[in-house]
Amino acid sequence: MESHYEILVIGGGTGGIMVASRLLKENKSLKVGVIEPADTHYYQPAWTLVGAGTFDYDKTARPMSSVMPKRATWIKDKATGFKPEENTVQTASSGDFTYDYLVVAPGIAYDWSLVPGLGDAMDKGVVCSNYTDPVHTWNVLKNFKGGTALFTQPATPIKCGGAPQKIMYLAESHIQKAGVRDKTTVVFASPGTTIFGVPEVKKTLLEIVDKKDINLRFGYKLEKVDGPNQIAWYSFMDHEDEYNHKDVKTEKDGNLTGIHFDMMHTAPPSAAPKFIQDSPLANEGGWLDIDQYTLQHKKYPNVFGLGDVAGIPAAKTGAAIRKQVPVVIQNIRMLKSKNILGSKTYNGYSSCPIVTDYGKMVLAEFDYDNNFTPDPKLKMMLIGDSSKEHWRLWMLKKYGLPYLYWNKMMKGQDV
């Protein structure tokens, strides 16, 4: 295996594969290496649907070899460190690799130490997460017989900020169908200040919350979880606020308030991978220190980053990556040929397909300023206002987007 690459990519997830595929589509003779230890590539956006029993988990997985671009060299190893002054990446067992340009896209890591007790409780009994084991989520839902159904999330950045509430809407429908809704209180406890930051989408979601009779609790910071006694312990941020209050069993422990639950779904507390946090490429928060518009590293001009590891104020979603990839590609191409950055910039675009019921979805598309920015192509699907629930959006989520992902995005096509 060569030890020097014109372009070295860290990560075989959505960002890494799209960048490698696009670069090689444009220039077949480029020497591109991709560092990725995993054997399997997952289409994670469908895990919400898996957790609600309406998508087959096995269909979300494909062998990494099937998405790795044929002309790229797959370095099946873990990146462990960087010497950016020497254009070098270190790996666990394959030695050092050097590069002309580096693209850093290793995704996000889960740090269970941030919420004591959660790691021990996760994916056992009635504690579940679509992020880690959506099949277990579906089992928890199927076995739920009533009580407090708690949907929550940590105060760290997480993949797809909307995901912890999507499963809640689907679960509420399932509980309704199972005939135990009248014995159930649905609680959403979030460290945030609002159900959603985009006003048009917030309006729709609050109508759904009213219809589904859900108790929203904002400013709730998940501090620890007592799995055996089924209690989630919270401290309060400075904006403690409730919407549609419900009396559920709680208790106090000093400054902490514990909510008793009969099922709990959460996102895992998340951070940048350790090898990024401990590297010269990280900002103070441990995330990759890149410019939010050009995606170029702030200190090392031949290093770019994208996806969940990026220290930028954008949502950590595949939709964001779809708009970041062309910026990274053009910048590398222009630096290689003319030693200047390209004219494309990333405006913070992301989209969050918010499934609100079986057969219904809202599509929140927005930029850095939380402006609602719907894709004009939706008009072709006869969707007038994507901030409202629509069955055609559900079809897009369940059938359209997985098809586009595997057949277009992974193959380096612009979508």
Side-chain angles (χ1 to χ4, degrees):
M1 195 186 295
E2 295 280 340
S3 63
H4 181 81
Y5 292 90
E6 288 172 271
I7 320 265
L8 189 58
V9 177
I10 296 178
T14 306
I17 296 294
M18 280 184 74
V19 166
S21 299
R22 286 284 284 274
L23 283 166
L24 287 161
K25 210 173 176 63
E26 285 182 10
N27 180 350
K28 294 181 173 59
S29 62
L30 264 184
K31 277 178 61 184
V32 177
V34 181
I35 301 176
E36 171 54 60
D39 287 309
T40 308
H41 182 104
Y42 290 98
Y43 178 65
Q44 294 178 27
W47 285 1
T48 289
L49 302 181
V50 173
T54 183
F55 203 97
D56 179 357
Y57 179 71
D58 294 338
K59 290 202 167 73
T60 69
R62 295 206 180 167
M64 186 64 71
S65 55
S66 71
V67 297
M68 191 65 63
K70 295 289 171 271
R71 290 190 181 84
T73 302
W74 179 11
I75 302 160
K76 195 170 181 306
D77 202 345
K78 282 186 172 132
T80 53
F82 301 90
K83 293 183 194 159
E85 273 85 6
E86 297 163 38
N87 296 335
T88 300
V89 174
Q90 298 152 310
T91 63
S93 50
S94 311
D96 292 358
F97 294 90
T98 54
Y99 55 82
D100 297 337
Y101 294 90
L102 177 66
V103 178
V104 185
I108 211 166
Y110 300 144
D111 185 350
W112 300 105
S113 71
L114 298 172
V115 180
L118 181 57
D120 297 331
M122 185 53 83
D123 299 329
K124 298 184 196 72
V126 297
V127 178
C128 60
S129 177
N130 280 342
Y131 290 79
T132 54
D133 186 350
V135 175
H136 180 66
T137 303
W138 177 230
N139 287 329
V140 169
L141 258 184
K142 281 190 296 193
N143 294 322
F144 182 72
K145 299 291 183 281
T148 299
L150 175 63
F151 295 84
T152 192
Q153 61 197 79
T156 65
I158 57 172
K159 286 193 243 199
C160 188
Q165 55 178 291
K166 299 176 200 180
I167 185 62
M168 171 173 72
Y169 302 132
L170 289 166
E172 192 278 338
S173 291
H174 174 77
I175 290 164
Q176 193 84 256
K177 285 191 197 103
V180 292
R181 184 64 182 93
D182 56 346
K183 294 190 286 193
T184 302
T185 306
V186 181
V187 178
F188 183 65
S190 160
T193 56
T194 179
I195 192 77
F196 211 83
V198 180
E200 294 87 337
V201 177
K202 176 183 173 178
K203 181 173 179 291
T204 299
L205 293 179
L206 285 178
E207 287 164 11
I208 291 161
V209 160
D210 286 343
K211 191 174 73 191
K212 289 179 172 288
D213 194 22
I214 292 167
N215 172 205
L216 303 180
R217 300 180 177 217
F218 298 116
Y220 273 61
K221 184 183 181 210
L222 186 63
E223 296 284 3
K224 59 182 185 178
V225 173
D226 178 346
N229 293 306
Q230 296 180 198
I231 307 172
W233 290 97
Y234 296 91
S235 63
F236 296 119
M237 320 278 270
D238 52 7
H239 50 262
E240 187 197 339
D241 179 25
E242 283 210 40
Y243 181 91
N244 187 20
H245 176 76
K246 298 279 178 230
D247 279 321
V248 292
K249 188 181 172 195
T250 58
E251 57 185 88
K252 288 276 190 211
D253 177 6
N255 294 333
L256 300 184
T257 293
I259 297 180
H260 285 253
F261 58 81
D262 297 283
M263 74 159 277
M264 177 174 100
H265 178 282
T266 187
S270 303
K274 198 90 179 77
F275 77 96
I276 299 287
Q277 291 185 46
D278 298 340
S279 79
L281 301 183
N283 63 18
E284 284 100 81
W287 301 91
L288 190 70
D289 195 16
I290 57 172
D291 180 275
Q292 69 183 71
Y293 302 109
T294 64
L295 309 178
Q296 182 183 42
H297 196 275
K298 288 180 178 175
K299 191 170 169 196
Y300 305 104
N302 63 337
V303 176
F304 290 85
L306 73 162
D308 295 354
V309 78
I312 57 177
K316 298 186 184 300
T317 66
I321 292 169
R322 183 165 65 90
K323 298 290 188 183
Q324 291 164 3
V325 167
V327 177
V328 170
I329 299 281
Q330 190 192 59
N331 281 336
I332 290 175
R333 192 189 328 119
M334 294 298 284
L335 281 176
K336 272 170 74 68
S337 59
K338 301 196 166 73
N339 207 21
I340 54 165
L341 285 178
S343 56
K344 276 188 168 70
T345 54
Y346 173 61
N347 70 352
Y349 171 90
S350 183
S351 90
C352 188
I354 304 174
V355 183
T356 52
D357 208 327
Y358 290 89
K360 289 183 191 168
M361 194 180 93
V362 168
L363 186 61
E365 294 179 277
F366 49 94
D367 59 18
Y368 279 132
D369 300 318
N370 273 340
N371 296 314
F372 184 50
T373 55
D375 189 323
K377 289 191 191 115
L378 291 170
K379 295 275 184 281
M380 287 154 52
M381 285 179 64
L382 305 178
I383 292 158
D385 182 357
S386 50
S387 75
K388 301 273 188 284
E389 291 180 293
H390 207 295
W391 67 269
R392 281 199 176 94
L393 287 169
W394 166 269
M395 300 302 277
L396 177 71
K397 167 83 178 168
K398 191 166 175 177
Y399 303 106
L401 294 176
Y403 175 83
L404 285 173
Y405 185 82
W406 295 117
N407 298 292
K408 304 277 195 234
M409 288 165 68
M410 288 293 97
K411 295 195 163 63
Q413 294 178 33
D414 202 2
V415 288

